[in-house]
Each structure stands twice: as structure tokens, then as C-alpha cells.
Amino acid sequence: MYGIIFHIFKDLIVTKQGEEKWKELCKVVGCENEFVETQNYKDEDMFAMVEAAAKMLSVTETELLEAVGYWSPRYFKNGPFAKLFEMIGYRSLGEVLQNVNSLHGHLKASSFPEIQKPNIRVTQLNENIF
């Protein structure tokens, strides 16, 4: 699992719970405090973080993973990839979602050579809902 996923997870925890909660989580799990976005990490590291964070926050792992899923677009819109999306010409989150599979192809070719491209289907329900 690439470090970008850990960045999203960290951004959610720090924004909602504070930097100290993130450091506490890292200490409990025995992991690094920082992750390199383009570096590949063991899936088990993320599984351990989700399990520990869910216990710390008194939520289920499913609830926490759903929160991460909802948080991801915010992270991409405001984080380090915002400029990439702008350069590619995406004007909205909808455009990003509709092109997420081809975007992963570009990422594999440029920065993430070991990425396993997902096959994500996006359905537009109306002008603002995907």
C-alpha cells in the first residue's frame, strides 16, 4: 500500500483528533510518524493502524474506513495532488472520479511503478452526485 493512503489516514486523524492522537496511534502501532507518498508499505501496517485507531476512537473499523473514504476527496482536492489535477485539466471532483482508472494508469507510469490499478466504476446520479 502506497504512502499516499497513510497520508490520507493521517490527515483525517490529525484534522479531527489532533496531532497528539496521531502520535499516540503511531506509538501504539509501532510505526513511523511520517510516510513517503510514493513508497510502498505493507498492507498489514495499515490494517494495524485502522484496528488500533478504531479502538482509540471508539468506532468500528468499518465506520473508520468509511470516514477515510469520505475524507479522500477532500484530501485530494486540497492536498499535494490538487496541482496535478489542475495541470491535467480536471475542473471538478466529478471529472476526477470519472477518470480515476486512467489517472491510476498515469500514476503507474510516472511515480508509482508498483501500483495495482483499481477498477472503479462511477455512476453519475445527477449533476452533483456521483
Side-chain angles (χ1 to χ4, degrees):
M1 189 171 301
Y2 276 98
I4 185 70
I5 304 302
F6 290 86
H7 275 257
I8 295 167
F9 191 77
K10 177 182 179 179
D11 190 58
L12 172 65
I13 299 296
V14 169
T15 301
K16 296 290 187 179
Q17 301 293 323
E19 184 74 30
E20 289 307 312
K21 187 63 80 172
W22 171 254
K23 289 178 182 177
E24 180 184 344
L25 174 61
C26 290
K27 186 175 180 181
V28 167
V29 176
C31 70
E32 304 172 36
N33 184 19
E34 296 295 329
F35 296 89
V36 178
E37 289 180 337
T38 57
Q39 184 174 324
N40 213 353
Y41 296 89
K42 293 183 281 184
D43 290 348
E44 292 79 15
D45 293 344
M46 178 54 74
F47 300 151
M49 291 190 88
V50 168
E51 182 180 358
K55 287 178 184 172
M56 288 173 65
L57 302 173
S58 300
V59 298
T60 67
E61 291 177 27
T62 299
E63 290 169 327
L64 182 56
L65 289 171
E66 286 178 358
V68 171
Y70 284 110
W71 195 257
S72 297
R74 176 199 178 280
Y75 177 84
F76 285 116
K77 180 181 178 201
N78 300 314
F81 285 89
K83 293 281 189 213
L84 171 66
F85 293 152
E86 187 177 304
M87 287 182 346
I88 292 172
Y90 297 149
R91 295 178 303 269
S92 68
L93 179 58
E95 288 183 7
V96 173
L97 290 173
Q98 290 174 319
N99 292 288
V100 72
N101 292 325
S102 62
L103 180 62
H104 279 87
H106 293 297
L107 292 173
K108 183 176 181 73
S110 63
S111 303
F112 299 86
E114 297 176 27
I115 197 170
Q116 294 179 357
K117 296 186 331 182
N119 183 11
I120 298 172
R121 283 186 247 151
V122 177
T123 303
Q124 187 168 0
L125 300 177
N126 66 39
E127 185 178 323
N128 298 314
I129 299 176
F130 288 86

